[in-house]
Amino acid sequence: MPQDMPPTGGYEPVQYRRNLPVRGFRPAYYLVALGAVMTYGFWRFGQGIREKNELAREKMWSRIYLTPLLQAEEDRDLVRRTLAAGKMERELMGGETKVYNSDRFVRPTYAVTPANVTK
Amino acid sequence: MSARQPRFNQHLLIDTTPLPSSIPSVPEIGSSSAPLLSASYFIGARCKPYNDDFMQCKTDANGTGETDCLREGRKVTRCAASVLEDVNKSCLEEFRQHWSCLDDNNQQLWQCRRWERPLNKCVFEKLNIEKKIPGAPENEVQVHLRKRQIFAHSMTTQ
């Protein structure tokens, strides 16, 4: 009568021992690679910082060269408006009020505004 | 004109009275920021004595600088106007391309080196003005002459 028997040659051997092979390079190599990548990264970072400083220097000098031009223009405008305000005050009030005891230019606190604005 | 700028929500008040005729008038520059930035190093190279005179006058004036240094200010404006006029006469196309590029790039000089090189070359040949950044370390190439701009957005505009 047929029974459920094992095969005639027997089963193959079962793996019961551990198989955990140690992989990877030596840890020193990893540290060296880490150091190399970090050094390269920091070197490029420093290059970028230095270039940024040089660009900032370029920007500052271009502004320094333009400052007298712009300041002269603004001064002319300021003098024009101060003289016009003084003239208006002399017409309206009969004289200029001297706020301080020196000739230093002081920006006035109040500005006269016209009653009827045309624009 | 007052210490705190007044904010009118309905109109803008500008006093348009001109300068009295006792003060000589000078034609204003009337340029926007990109052409001025583009020409700033040329203005600085040619107008150095006038600029220094003006700033020295302002420092020495001790409060009355605005009214006392008008003469030096006129000289500064005339010199810068002459620089801009010369650049316009001799290098107009390169100048225009450079400042248009600056207008498109937030006035960042490092994005527009491609157009700055021909402009510098043309100005050096025709007007004999060289762009040099003072105070830069001597052992390195100056940043506007470097082949590769690290922070430029694309390789085509460097």
Side-chain angles (χ1 to χ4, degrees), chain B residues 10 21 30 69 84 90-91 97 118 120 125 129 133 141 143 150:
Chain B
Q10 284 168 12
S21 46
C69 301
L84 281 175
S90 19
C91 302
Q97 277 174 350
N120 286 354
E125 280 163 9
I129 305 176
I133 304 173
V141 177
V143 68
I150 295 178

Side-chain angles (χ1 to χ4, degrees), chain A residues 51-116:
Chain A
E51 175 128 340
K52 229 185 188 25
N53 288 342
E54 291 303 314
L55 290 173
R57 181 179 282 137
E58 186 188 16
K59 180 175 172 183
M60 274 311 301
W61 276 105
S62 78
R63 288 185 179 182
I64 287 170
Y65 287 142
L66 289 176
T67 299
L69 172 66
L70 302 169
Q71 189 63 50
E73 196 174 318
E74 188 61 30
D75 281 353
R76 279 195 289 273
D77 194 43
L78 208 71
V79 165
R80 175 184 70 85
R81 278 156 42 207
T82 313
L83 292 175
K87 187 159 146 264
M88 182 163 31
E89 195 175 350
R90 261 175 271 131
E91 281 165 22
L92 296 174
M93 301 285 295
E96 287 188 28
T97 53
K98 205 154 186 282
V99 188
Y100 297 100
N101 287 330
S102 76
D103 282 330
R104 191 190 171 103
F105 174 70
V106 176
R107 233 168 255 267
T109 315
Y110 299 103
V112 178
T113 56
N116 300 318

Side-chain angles (χ1 to χ4, degrees), chain B residues 9 13 36 44 56-57 80 90 96 105 112 114 127 131 133 140 157:
Chain B
N9 57 358
L13 289 178
L36 277 183
Q56 186 70 43
C57 174
S90 19
R96 262 198 196 143
N105 282 307
C112 303
R114 181 177 158 196
L127 305 174
K131 172 176 169 174
I133 304 173
E140 288 171 10
T157 58

